[in-house]
């Protein structure tokens, strides 16, 4: 959550949640840029009863968000109190609005391709490498916030290498974890490494840990300067981290800062929901769903499924069942997944898929439910 790009994602999603608190039909497309002592928030917003001091409210919310992440002043990675903040928000384009709202029929808020994926190789029905990578950074955050290892700071990244055999994961070969730290650890990287292995890496790996795993820890030799003081952050640059870790295809659209009329977010959530239910129903061991939309048009321009040869019934039958069981228009997606709520800030860290956040509330991560299994089985006669 402390990586500069994810800081930007979280601020953008906090602005979206703020607008949705006023109006469940709010339209938001918000981008954040953060570096050194500068924070810029820009984009489009449209909602009922927004306050006259909207920019001041957004600025204060952004500073509070940065504090919640763990950046508390100079030397920590960002100073939320001393930073310069610029807000550049405007109304939604009337050309986009007329196509999306379209006389009461909600059209797609953008054009493009969206993919969803699921595999039965983990309980989460997600690829193992991204599951373990997200566990690593989540454990780093938990250990840092609990003070178990003194001097850990918010910026961190993880990467997992796994050996595959016989169509599935065999063992973890290497773990890479880089974590920002207090200067007290600059000349004690070996000691910090031992603590991180014991309190972060081993618990996150669980049964996948073995003593032969190669551990890469802060490979440059230290990681004192981190956060936006060490690297620029921008909304939407972590699209592979947000989804399946490169294991499935990606349409190119980012998620954070966009309301659910933007199908590059909501249809990606829907595609995950569909693919997960197909796999959970036992119709295939893995499933990748592709959707495409035209801006202002409600129905998808294409729907296709690829089970990579693991299907137990004909792929065409699965595709037909999906079309009957799930409503794939923007309004249908929003209704089925209950997306018109301020639920989005928790999506901005530790992955949008394969988990339920601690901050669960109405509509939170509904795309992770497996509640359409019986409907799919019935449609294919399974």
């Amino acid at each position: 959550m402390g990586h500069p790009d994810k800081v930007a994602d979280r601020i953008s999603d906090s602005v979206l949640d703020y607008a949705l608190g006023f109006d469940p039909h709010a339209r938001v497309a918000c981008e954040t840029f953060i570096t050194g002592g500068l924070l810029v928030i820009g984009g489009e917003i449209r909602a009922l009863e927004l306050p006259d001091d909207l920019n001041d409210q957004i600025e204060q919310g952004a500073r509070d968000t940065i504090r919640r992440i763990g950046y508390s002043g100079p030397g920590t990675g960002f100073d939320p109190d001393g930073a310069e903040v610029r807000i550049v928000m405007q109304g939604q384009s009337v050309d986009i609005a007329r196509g999306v709202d379209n006389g009461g029929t909600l059209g797609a808020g953008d054009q493009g391709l969206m993919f969803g994926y699921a595999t039965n190789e983990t309980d989460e029905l997600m690829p193992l490498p991204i599951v373990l990578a997200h566990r690593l950074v989540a454990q780093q955050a938990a250990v840092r916030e609990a003070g178990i290892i003194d001097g850990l700071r918010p910026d961190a990244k993880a990467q997992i290498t796994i050996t595959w055999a016989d169509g599935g994961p065999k063992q973890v070969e290497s773990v890479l974890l880089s974590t920002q730290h207090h200067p007290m650890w600059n000349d004690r990287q070996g000691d910090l490494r031992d603590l991180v292995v014991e309190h972060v890496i081993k618990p996150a790996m669980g049964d996948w840990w073995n003593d032969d795993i190669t551990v890469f820890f802060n490979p440059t030799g230290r990681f004192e300067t981190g956060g936006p003081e060490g690297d620029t952050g921008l909304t939407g640059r972590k699209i592979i981290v947000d989804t399946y870790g490169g294991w499935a295809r990606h349409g190119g659209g980012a998620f954070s800062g966009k309301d659910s009329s933007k199908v590059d977010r909501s249809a990606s959530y829907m595609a995950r929901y569909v693919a997960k239910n197909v796999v959970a129903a036992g119709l295939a061991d893995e499933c990748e769903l592709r959707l495409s939309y035209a801006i202002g048009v409600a129905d998808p321009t294409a729907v296709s499924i690829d089970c990579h040869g693991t299907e137990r019934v004909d792929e065409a039958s699965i595709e037909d069942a999906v079309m009957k069981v799930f409503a794939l228009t923007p309004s249908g997606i929003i209704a089925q997944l209950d997306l018109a709520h301020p639920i989005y800030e928790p999506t901005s860290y530790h992955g949008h898929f394969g988990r339920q956040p601690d901050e669960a509330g109405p509509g939170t991560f509904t795309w992770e439910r497996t509640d359409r299994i019986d409907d799919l089985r019935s449609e294919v006669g399974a």
Side-chain angles (χ1 to χ4, degrees), residues 207-381:
D207 293 339
W208 287 98
W209 173 260
N210 69 80
D211 291 334
D212 293 327
I213 291 176
T214 300
V215 175
F216 297 97
F217 176 72
N218 285 355
T220 67
R222 75 182 195 188
F223 190 0
E224 175 190 345
T225 303
E229 289 179 355
D231 190 11
T232 299
L234 188 65
T235 300
R237 284 206 297 207
K238 288 293 176 283
I239 57 177
I240 299 303
V241 168
D242 284 344
T243 54
Y244 308 101
W247 197 254
R249 286 173 286 189
H250 198 291
F255 300 155
S256 289
K258 299 178 182 179
D259 71 82
S260 53
S261 73
K262 279 76 170 173
V263 285
D264 40 7
R265 181 172 212 165
S266 56
S268 294
Y269 289 175
M270 190 65 182
R272 163 63 178 171
Y273 179 50
V274 172
K276 186 173 184 180
N277 274 269
V278 167
V279 172
L283 305 185
D285 292 338
E286 60 178 312
C287 176
E288 185 178 67
L289 174 68
R290 179 180 63 190
L291 302 171
S292 67
Y293 291 85
I295 188 167
V297 179
D299 290 315
T301 58
V303 180
S304 63
I305 281 179
D306 187 353
C307 296
H308 303 289
T310 68
E311 64 274 9
R312 294 187 176 85
V313 297
D314 183 65
E315 274 187 355
S317 298
I318 299 175
E319 200 169 290
D320 289 342
V322 165
M323 297 288 286
K324 293 175 182 177
V325 170
F326 300 95
L328 301 178
T329 63
S331 58
I333 292 170
I334 293 168
Q336 286 171 100
L337 298 183
D338 199 19
L339 297 178
H341 300 283
I343 60 168
Y344 294 99
E345 186 177 334
T347 68
S348 64
Y349 52 90
H350 305 160
H352 293 246
F353 305 132
R355 69 183 186 98
Q356 284 291 352
D358 293 335
E359 308 90 337
T364 305
F365 289 25
T366 50
W367 50 92
E368 291 300 316
R369 298 178 306 191
T370 52
D371 56 352
R372 308 308 298 272
I373 293 173
D374 292 339
D375 297 329
L376 286 169
R377 287 175 176 167
S378 176
E379 287 294 339
V380 300

Side-chain angles (χ1 to χ4, degrees), residues 4 7 33-40 63 66 71 73-85 225-233:
V7 174
F33 170 85
I34 186 168
T35 185
L38 175 65
L39 172 66
V40 180
R63 294 186 192 274
I66 293 168
Y71 293 119
T76 66
F78 197 78
D79 181 5
D81 297 306
E84 177 187 358
V85 178
T225 303
E229 289 179 355
D231 190 11
T232 299

Side-chain angles (χ1 to χ4, degrees), residues 1 4 7-8 88-89 92 102 126 132 144 160 170 189 219 229 233 239 264 309 329-330 334 343 348 358:
M1 65 176 69
V7 174
V88 189
M89 299 296 291
Q92 185 187 35
N102 199 16
M126 288 282 287
L132 295 180
R144 170 176 59 85
I160 306 291
K170 181 180 179 183
Q189 288 290 297
E229 289 179 355
I239 57 177
D264 40 7
T329 63
I334 293 168
I343 60 168
S348 64
D358 293 335

